[in-house]
Amino acid sequence: MNIHEYQAKELLDKFGVANSPGGVASTPEEAEKIAASLGTDQLVIKAQVHAGGRGKGTFKNGFKSGVHLCKTPAQIREVAANMLGQTLVTHQTGEEGRVVRKVLVAEAVEIERELYFAVLIDRATSAPVIVASTEGGVDIEGVAEHTPEKIFNLHVDPLLGFQPYQARKLSKLLGIPTAQMKSACVLFANLYKTFIASDCSMVEVNPLVITKGGDVRALDAKFNFDDNALFRHPDIQAYRDVEEEDPREVEASKHNLSYIGLDGNIACLVNGAGLAMATMDIIKHHGGEPSNFLDVGGGATEQQVTEAFKILVSDKRVKAILVNIFGGIMKCDIIAQGIINAVKAVNLPVPLVVRLEGTNVEAGRKLLAESGLKLTTATDIADAAQKVVAAAA
Amino acid sequence: MSILVDKNTRLLVQGITGKSGATHAKSCMEYGTNVVAGVTPTRGGEVFENKVPVFDTVMEARRETGCNATMIFVPPAGAADSILEAVDAGIELVICITEGIPVIDMMRVKAAMAKSSSRLIGPNCPGIITPGECKIGIMPGYIHKPGKVGVVSRSGTLTYEAVWQLSSRGHGQSTCVGIGGDPINGTSHLDVVKMFNDDPDTEAFIMIGEIGGTAEEEAAEWIAKNCKKPVAAFIAGATAPPGRRMGHAGAIVSGGKGTAQGKIEAIQAAGIEIAVTPADMADALLRRMAR
């Protein structure tokens, strides 16, 4: 799950991680009020969308850039009026862009040094690792490739947690002056606390800055959360913004279906994540393009299968549908009945290829055969892929 | 012979009175697995299916029945605790089927288990089967046949697919191990590969992986240096968009790492026969065996 920059700022504030004072606004007047309350002529206003490249983006109304530096609250109001309700197009949003519903207004700081700091789970060691660099404010993958000696990895013992000596060591590795060492250590420790307490899969601060005034601050923080742990974080669940998500994925999530939208024209409905990925792969192998990943899981009900099918047929891009089921926990007759119900409810605008195998396969095949549905059956996964690619062509 | 489980395995089921726990405990019993005990806290004293005693704690189940393996169906919020309970009771083999355990919980479990001699399989896995002897998990038993081919996989349904292809070509399986689709798991591809290599009754094996992490690469490197048995492999997720979790919590390409292409290259460099598509898994192994 992704969150907005202003929500990330709320999390930082909650855990005492120093960052720039500011607030979020939904109207130009609110934006002006926040700017006035900051009491500075160094101001920044940022459009809030879940996409990178905002500074270099352009609004569909012609207004340039989703990030502006301003001197006065009046200027902030003017810029906010140009952003709010408008559609911002960046290299990550695609042509359709994203509607800006909120802006973040904050104090703009004068930067002395930019650093990089991240916490994530290292799969190889099954432990949290802190990745830090003296090169902040730039693409960290580039730094890793060209100057790996400027990146430091510190593993944290999962049972001990982040230790004070590790914070001091890190501040020395990053060349933080003695005068700022104490506040840097507090910031590192609080970021680690945020990571663990919020069940993040990653927290990335880029840049972490030392200001000309000598403050240490997290200037921009990105969070990724462990979806498996959201059940114990209702506050973080509340950060979800469905306006920023693929509507097909929003609909699927209402029915607890694991769905990811893609750009192709062959829809697939599969049980099991591995088989669902492999089904996309084999469609591509035979010259087709999948329009989605969909794992209906092992315990899906007839109703869920029906809802899944409705999502697939409502996608205008879809030219053919492949159902590929290897029944284990999932019973083939449940899948068959779900398909039959869905087709009764929504009609079938495109060809359907079905491959069933595994638990209750005979009952499932019989249900489909007796339903009178127009569909093509396949004997195995390769046969299924070839038939659906031909049907979509 | 086989690896990890056989007809002498005495199985405990944690969460035996829950909906999936009960369904799958029953299906394992029907397959012939020796289910000797169940645990559901507060339900101690009950008898499951007129046959299996239910206990409040794993400690009692162990003491009363001598169970040496456990299958866990406890929901995600309590599953990590159930694993630790089984480890504390000295259960040798802990198989956790539960999907959706927070990764930070698993990280702590793994660190805590470093001091114990118990082995964890999973979580988020279909389980283990030694065909004709012992089924622990949620796989459909009837597709398996006793034989000489091992299968190790992060995915349940892809394992069934491989087993189906093997069985319908007349090749039975020694043991099939689902290691699970989470980023932190108890047993890796490499752990199972080493066991297959040492098992005299496993003549060849299939390794099924997917995007995310580097476990397949590590196994491939070891195989190149140490394994004389024929191996085939399939990697799922070549078409997965980067940065998205593909159903399994561990199936994600992040920062350009864990791609299918990288894994396939490592596998081919190790002399392992790659299955070009998921339909090719058994045939890839047969090609490798014919070489």
Side-chain angles (χ1 to χ4, degrees):
Chain A
M1 195 185 85
N2 289 318
I3 62 173
H4 286 292
E5 186 185 9
Y6 77 90
Q7 295 166 329
K9 178 176 161 44
E10 278 176 28
L11 268 181
L12 296 178
D13 287 340
K14 183 177 162 192
F15 286 92
V17 179
N19 65 90
S20 294
V24 67
S26 309
T27 66
E29 293 70 32
E30 274 173 29
E32 183 181 22
K33 209 180 270 178
I34 291 163
S37 74
L38 293 172
T40 168
D41 62 357
Q42 308 276 332
L43 294 162
V44 63
I45 175 167
K46 294 166 149 186
Q48 298 294 290
V49 291
H50 286 187
R54 290 173 299 173
K56 288 180 181 146
T58 302
F59 288 85
K60 285 195 171 166
N61 62 358
F63 190 69
K64 294 259 186 289
S65 183
V67 180
H68 283 256
L69 292 169
C70 298
K71 293 282 178 206
T72 67
Q75 279 177 359
I76 289 282
R77 188 185 60 206
E78 196 181 319
V79 173
N82 278 305
M83 288 180 173
L84 286 163
Q86 301 299 323
T87 304
L88 177 62
V89 179
T90 83
H91 71 276
Q92 284 187 4
T93 62
E95 279 174 26
E96 65 272 30
R98 297 275 172 78
V99 176
V100 176
R101 292 180 171 81
K102 288 189 163 72
V103 290
L104 176 67
V105 179
E107 185 188 298
V109 291
E110 286 189 86
I111 295 167
E112 176 74 31
R113 281 190 62 199
E114 293 184 287
L115 307 167
Y116 175 93
F117 179 99
V119 194
L120 52 125
I121 304 279
D122 177 34
R123 293 166 67 147
T125 55
S126 303
V129 61
I130 289 171
V131 180
S133 175
T134 50
E135 308 301 297
V138 294
D139 171 29
I140 196 68
E141 278 148 32
V143 179
E145 197 180 324
H146 302 296
T147 49
E149 71 281 2
K150 290 182 175 167
I151 294 188
F152 308 102
N153 292 308
L154 253 78
H155 281 91
V156 179
D157 184 307
L159 302 180
L160 286 175
F162 186 59
Q163 298 295 301
Y165 81 86
Q166 292 182 298
R168 297 194 296 274
K169 179 174 166 185
L170 194 61
S171 67
K172 282 297 149 191
L173 289 171
L174 293 174
I176 291 172
T178 303
Q180 272 94 35
M181 187 166 122
K182 201 171 167 187
S183 48
C185 287
V186 169
L187 190 143
F188 297 153
N190 286 343
L191 275 170
Y192 184 81
K193 204 194 292 172
T194 314
F195 175 85
I196 295 290
S198 311
D199 273 299
C200 298
S201 49
M202 187 180 77
V203 176
E204 183 183 49
V205 180
N206 190 19
L208 189 159
V209 300
I210 301 175
T211 67
K212 287 221 189 311
D215 291 339
V216 186
R217 283 185 191 177
L219 212 57
D220 192 3
K222 281 200 183 65
F223 287 83
N224 281 324
F225 300 97
D226 175 8
D227 291 344
N228 285 351
L230 284 174
F231 71 87
R232 57 190 179 198
H233 299 286
D235 51 332
I236 294 167
Q237 282 180 50
Y239 282 153
R240 185 171 171 205
D241 182 354
V242 293
E243 301 283 356
E244 294 282 340
E245 296 176 22
D246 183 329
R248 297 174 293 176
E249 293 179 15
V250 175
E251 186 60 28
S253 72
K254 283 184 199 158
H255 307 287
N256 288 319
L257 295 163
S258 179
Y259 177 100
I260 292 174
L262 302 167
D263 295 330
N265 59 11
I266 297 176
C268 26
L269 185 158
V270 189
N271 67 323
L275 191 60
M277 272 188 275
T279 302
M280 288 162 41
D281 296 346
I282 198 169
I283 287 172
K284 180 104 175 175
H285 179 81
H286 289 292
E289 286 290 342
S291 66
N292 68 283
F293 166 93
L294 172 57
D295 169 15
V296 294
T301 60
E302 220 173 88
Q303 181 63 25
Q304 274 177 300
V305 174
T306 302
E307 295 301 334
F309 212 79
K310 283 184 191 168
I311 293 167
L312 300 185
V313 298
S314 68
D315 187 341
K316 299 287 171 248
R317 278 169 277 204
V318 169
K319 295 276 180 280
I321 299 173
L322 171 58
V323 173
N324 182 22
I325 300 295
F326 205 116
I329 327 179
M330 170 54 77
K331 298 182 179 72
C332 290
D333 49 335
I334 299 267
I335 292 281
Q337 196 57 53
I339 295 170
I340 293 165
N341 294 349
V343 173
K344 272 186 197 152
V346 296
N347 289 321
L348 188 61
V350 293
L352 169 65
V353 178
V354 179
R355 182 270 178 137
L356 294 180
E357 200 58 74
T359 308
N360 294 3
V361 63
E362 291 311 327
R365 285 180 184 157
K366 189 158 169 258
L367 275 172
L368 288 177
E370 288 170 358
S371 70
L373 287 189
K374 263 181 64 186
L375 55 86
T376 309
T377 53
T379 51
D380 61 33
I381 184 170
D383 184 42
Q386 281 159 10
K387 282 178 173 159
V388 79
V389 170
Chain B
M1 232 181 91
S2 53
I3 65 167
L4 294 165
V5 299
D6 57 27
K7 54 185 183 302
N8 300 315
T9 302
R10 296 172 62 77
L11 186 66
L12 161 70
V13 180
Q14 287 172 264
I16 196 166
T17 57
K19 187 166 166 264
S20 356
T23 307
H24 293 290
K26 233 183 281 178
S27 121
C28 291
M29 288 161 76
E30 281 159 13
Y31 192 80
T33 305
N34 188 17
V35 178
V36 298
V39 163
T40 299
T42 76
R43 301 282 290 268
E46 294 181 18
V47 178
F48 177 76
E49 291 289 295
N50 300 316
K51 198 181 158 204
V52 180
V54 178
F55 300 91
D56 286 322
T57 62
V58 179
M59 174 185 73
E60 294 164 283
R62 169 82 166 180
R63 196 171 59 206
E64 302 299 323
T65 69
C67 50
N68 56 13
T70 178
M71 169 167 82
I72 299 179
F73 279 97
V74 175
D81 181 55
S82 294
I83 296 171
L84 292 173
E85 183 184 3
V87 171
D88 174 68
I91 307 287
E92 287 85 349
L93 184 63
V94 180
I95 298 149
C96 185
I97 310 294
T98 308
E99 175 173 9
I101 304 177
V103 69
I104 285 182
D105 293 5
M106 277 315 301
M107 181 179 84
R108 291 185 177 129
V109 165
K110 182 130 183 174
M113 281 187 73
K115 287 178 279 191
S116 93
S117 56
S118 297
R119 170 170 292 286
L120 171 67
I121 308 273
N124 188 13
C125 78
I128 309 183
I129 184 168
T130 293
E133 295 193 32
C134 181
K135 162 179 132 93
I136 302 179
I138 60 179
M139 63 292 276
Y142 75 94
I143 62 171
H144 301 80
K145 280 193 180 130
K148 305 277 189 189
V149 178
V151 180
V152 54
S153 171
R154 277 161 74 180
S155 149
T157 39
L158 268 180
T159 314
Y160 313 159
E161 189 73 47
V163 166
W164 180 248
Q165 290 170 19
L166 286 166
S167 292
S168 42
R169 284 161 181 75
H171 289 268
Q173 302 86 42
S174 53
T175 303
C176 305
V177 187
I179 58 172
D182 275 5
I184 295 183
N185 54 15
T187 295
S188 67
H189 275 111
L190 178 54
D191 295 330
V192 180
V193 162
K194 286 178 179 170
M195 289 182 239
F196 281 145
N197 194 48
D198 292 341
D199 175 30
D201 280 355
T202 298
E203 290 179 353
F205 57 93
I206 296 179
M207 175 169 91
I208 303 168
E210 59 195 35
I211 53 167
T214 53
E216 292 85 354
E217 288 90 326
E218 281 152 26
E221 200 179 316
W222 188 89
I223 288 168
K225 287 188 194 130
N226 304 289
C227 182
K228 299 275 180 287
K229 296 180 181 179
V231 187
F234 174 71
I235 300 293
T239 49
R244 301 297 307 266
R245 270 170 218 283
M246 306 303 285
H248 284 157
I252 180 168
V253 172
S254 52
K257 296 205 181 83
T259 64
Q261 197 49 42
K263 289 175 189 290
I264 290 167
E265 281 164 16
I267 282 164
Q268 287 178 319
I272 298 166
E273 184 76 22
I274 196 89
V276 185
T277 72
D280 185 43
M281 291 188 283
D283 289 335
L285 186 67
L286 299 183
R287 283 200 300 277
R288 179 64 185 81
M289 287 165 83
R291 251 203 262 156

